[in-house]
Amino acid sequence: MSGRPSRPAPCSRDEKIDPKAERKRTLQRLHDATQIGDVNTVQAVFDAHAEFNVNTLRRGRNATLHTALLHNQEGPLIDYLLRNGADVDAENAKGYSPLTLAIVHCKGSKAVEKLIAAGATWTRFDTGAFAGLSAIDVGAKFKNESAVQLLAQMTEAGGDFCREVAIPGPLPRGRAVCPVCNLVVKFPTKMSRIESDQAAIELRIRTDGEMGTRHKKYISRKYMDQLLAHSDGEAYKKLCGIEYHGVENMRLRKEISESYGVLRAVQECWTKLGPGRHDPGDGVHMENVFLIGELVHDFNVECPRGPNALRTDSQRTASVSIEDLCSGKGITTALCGALDDEESNNHFLAIDRLLPHQTPHFLNSEKVRYLRRDVMAKEMFDEMAELVRQQTHERGRTCILVGMHLCGMLSERAVDFFERISEIRGLVLSPCCLPQKHNQSSFVKERPANDQENIELYNYFRWSEHLKERVAGVGNGVSDVTLYTDADMHTEKNVVIHAVKAA
């Protein structure tokens, strides 16, 4: 006798069909058609089986709308289900509503738009897997940029899309509610602890000595002390405000030292261009960096508008526009806004690929702005040229382009902007990583002659010299191309390059 199990006997024609099995087969057919967007089959199943409707649940408490969105359906099938009364807020067994499934699983934003138009809850989810979050929070979490952009257009906050929270009772110690976004955040912020962090590092080094080059602790406090002293501490006090909680996760002492180093170079550019009134030198103090907008207000004169408007020399040089490429969370731009006089005519623009939802609140004011763009995109040249033209011709500002932490070819891109846009009068670069191997055409990584020398730093300084030569070769009146290392930056990659260009 064979060990193979015998087949079950075939069902007799007179034998009754198991209703549970039939239901299961019908639902399987329905959801198979739903997965591929087969509207005709879905409609045929509903027409033939009156006991089923669009909200009938299958395993996992998934209705046909859940299944469709799980499989990236955004077209006619979604339209059909919504027209026939699909529940747009029903949650499956995992706590996912149709809208959250659309955000997580659909590649575009069409389904999101259709669900919200049909009445889906999106400003805040009170139950389910994303309780306490908004739809835009979920979009940011799962990096669905198209959904975030759509939701950004649908909100009245103009780019500020943090969720509102209900506070059930007293907040725990070290927490407060941000008045801008209503989030419960850490407060006092990390910025308020930079002085105590500096003291702790200094004490540790006095006690234990340096920890080797691999774990080197930077203790230069020159720029930090300048920040603490600026405007009798008012600028630092502003940066410690709860509205600046968006930079909580940064290495702030390092970031401040690098941003200050770059802004020192901005001041040097400004001085070379003529309107600067303060000798930079080694003893430069940021107290006076942004007093360059005083001329307009000293004479109580409004700058004429329009590209053909006539201006006096003092009006033409009265203010600066700083474009900060690849700004990240925008700490350099934040410092600009905090250090600048409120009455000046200066303007600061941070440019990066971060979603608007992920940028701190300070990047959304009349003087300090954020622009979400890919600086490597082909159309960016034309857009940048128009942005600079508006600042220079229509607002009477002198444009200086800043690039800190520009990895690889992003530094080359900044040089290209400086070369092709004549209205950019100054350039400040603090390069970071080398170009990737497939981009190393004009620059090729080499091994140092001394095997003991750090190969990464050796090529970093070679890359910096290459960039200096690129800037010097721009022409178009470029002069005073300067390269130096700033020992007060808390990093080994502390090269700063700056140059100015004739009008």
Side-chain angles (χ1 to χ4, degrees):
M1 183 177 179
S2 171
R4 183 182 301 171
S6 59
R7 284 186 175 183
C11 294
S12 168
R13 290 185 179 180
D14 297 332
E15 186 178 344
K16 291 184 178 181
I17 298 176
D18 183 357
K20 289 185 177 180
E22 179 62 21
R23 173 186 169 86
K24 184 177 180 181
R25 281 193 292 270
T26 303
L27 285 175
Q28 182 67 53
R29 181 186 173 208
L30 174 63
H31 284 262
D32 285 348
T34 302
Q35 292 176 19
I36 61 174
D38 187 348
V39 180
N40 293 332
T41 300
V42 170
Q43 185 174 358
V45 171
F46 287 138
D47 290 343
H49 299 271
E51 68 274 22
F52 295 146
N53 60 59
V54 292
N55 292 315
T56 299
L57 300 179
R58 197 185 176 217
R59 63 173 178 264
R61 296 189 58 80
N62 286 307
T64 46
L65 185 58
H66 294 94
T67 302
L69 295 166
L70 274 165
H71 291 84
N72 192 30
Q73 296 298 326
E74 297 189 274
L77 178 60
I78 302 298
D79 299 333
Y80 169 81
L81 295 174
L82 293 176
R83 282 197 309 268
N84 285 274
D87 187 345
V88 292
D89 286 325
E91 294 173 0
N92 63 13
K94 293 184 177 181
Y96 281 69
S97 69
L99 182 58
T100 55
L101 288 173
I103 294 171
V104 174
H105 293 283
C106 295
K107 296 178 181 178
S109 60
K110 292 181 180 178
V112 173
E113 185 174 8
K114 291 175 181 179
L115 289 166
I116 293 176
T121 300
W122 66 283
T123 54
R124 173 183 163 85
F125 301 116
D126 294 322
T127 59
F130 303 101
L133 299 181
S134 68
I136 200 161
D137 290 322
V138 179
K141 178 181 178 68
F142 288 91
K143 297 182 173 61
N144 187 333
E145 296 187 11
S146 60
V148 170
Q149 288 176 352
L150 169 69
L151 294 164
Q153 295 170 3
M154 299 178 67
T155 183
E156 297 177 357
D160 187 15
F161 313 113
C162 297
R163 64 187 182 275
E164 294 185 0
V165 294
I167 309 301
L171 292 173
R173 183 179 178 182
R175 296 292 188 274
V177 178
C178 173
V180 179
C181 65
N182 292 321
L183 274 174
V184 176
V185 299
K186 293 181 181 179
F187 189 76
T189 63
K190 189 176 181 180
M191 179 69 76
S192 65
R193 300 194 298 272
I194 60 172
E195 196 170 12
S196 60
D197 289 346
Q198 176 77 19
I201 292 295
E202 291 173 353
L203 176 61
R204 187 184 307 173
I205 290 178
R206 285 197 302 270
T207 305
D208 303 330
E210 282 285 358
M211 305 173 71
T213 56
R214 182 176 177 82
H215 301 287
K216 184 176 180 179
K217 297 294 182 182
Y218 293 92
I219 60 172
S220 172
R221 57 182 301 145
K222 172 183 173 181
Y223 292 138
M224 186 186 75
D225 287 342
Q226 290 180 8
L227 172 61
L228 295 174
H230 188 98
S231 302
D232 296 325
E234 288 301 314
Y236 175 62
K237 182 179 178 180
K238 180 179 180 180
L239 290 169
C240 290
I242 194 171
E243 297 87 351
Y244 286 74
H245 67 81
V247 296
E248 183 70 20
N249 61 340
M250 302 174 71
R251 294 178 291 176
L252 284 176
R253 290 190 313 115
K254 174 180 182 293
E255 293 288 337
I256 289 170
S257 73
E258 292 171 330
S259 293
Y260 252 79
V262 164
L263 293 179
R264 170 190 172 183
V266 169
Q267 183 187 5
E268 291 175 349
C269 283
W270 184 253
T271 302
K272 290 178 180 179
L273 287 169
R277 296 188 293 264
H278 308 284
D279 179 19
D282 184 59
V284 61
H285 196 287
M286 299 301 289
E287 185 78 32
N288 295 319
V289 166
F290 294 117
L291 297 180
I292 49 187
E294 289 180 348
L295 285 175
V296 169
H297 303 281
D298 286 348
F299 296 103
N300 194 25
V301 176
E302 182 179 356
C303 284
R305 305 299 184 190
N308 299 318
L310 297 176
R311 302 179 180 83
T312 66
D313 289 341
S314 63
Q315 288 171 337
R316 193 161 43 240
T317 60
S319 55
V320 69
S321 173
I322 294 178
E323 274 65 50
D324 184 10
L325 291 181
C326 302
S327 59
K329 287 293 184 75
I331 190 65
T332 303
T333 310
L335 286 172
C336 288
L339 301 174
D340 189 29
D341 186 272
E342 292 183 359
E343 299 299 321
S344 78
N345 187 40
N346 301 320
H347 182 263
F348 313 107
L349 176 66
I351 304 173
D352 201 273
R353 295 181 63 183
L354 281 178
L355 296 169
H357 174 65
Q358 299 170 304
T359 58
H361 303 311
F362 57 78
L363 294 179
N364 188 22
S365 67
E366 183 177 349
K367 182 176 290 187
V368 179
R369 291 180 50 231
Y370 175 73
L371 182 67
R372 182 175 181 268
R373 293 291 186 273
D374 178 3
V375 300
M376 297 301 289
K378 293 181 179 179
E379 61 272 14
M380 193 60 198
F381 275 112
D382 292 336
E383 184 169 5
M384 179 66 80
E386 177 60 22
L387 289 170
V388 172
R389 188 197 67 78
Q390 291 175 2
Q391 294 301 321
T392 56
H393 293 282
E394 298 181 16
R395 301 290 187 265
R397 297 168 178 141
T398 300
C399 179
I400 298 177
L401 189 66
V402 170
M404 188 178 79
H405 296 163
L406 293 185
C407 296
M409 299 307 293
L410 290 171
S411 293
E412 294 266 17
R413 192 66 157 182
V415 178
D416 290 339
F417 285 134
F418 186 54
E419 179 178 20
R420 293 175 57 175
I421 303 174
S422 59
E423 290 87 352
I424 297 178
R425 299 288 307 284
L427 173 68
V428 176
L429 283 181
S430 184
C432 185
C433 308
L434 302 178
Q436 295 182 1
K437 190 171 182 180
H438 64 273
N439 286 324
Q440 294 180 8
S441 54
S442 57
F443 173 85
V444 179
K445 191 174 178 179
E446 295 180 357
R447 296 190 65 84
N450 182 0
D451 291 339
Q452 302 301 315
E453 189 171 356
N454 184 305
I455 185 171
E456 181 180 356
L457 282 179
Y458 171 77
N459 282 286
Y460 167 75
F461 289 112
R462 287 184 60 246
W463 171 240
S464 300
E465 289 288 348
H466 167 78
L467 292 172
K468 178 188 175 184
E469 294 174 5
R470 277 275 289 112
V471 176
V474 164
N476 297 329
V478 172
S479 61
D480 294 315
V481 182
T482 305
L483 180 150
Y484 59 88
T485 57
D486 189 335
D488 292 301
M489 288 184 173
H490 291 192
T491 176
E492 292 178 311
K493 297 179 178 180
N494 56 2
V495 168
V496 178
I497 305 166
H498 62 77
V500 297
K501 185 166 56 179

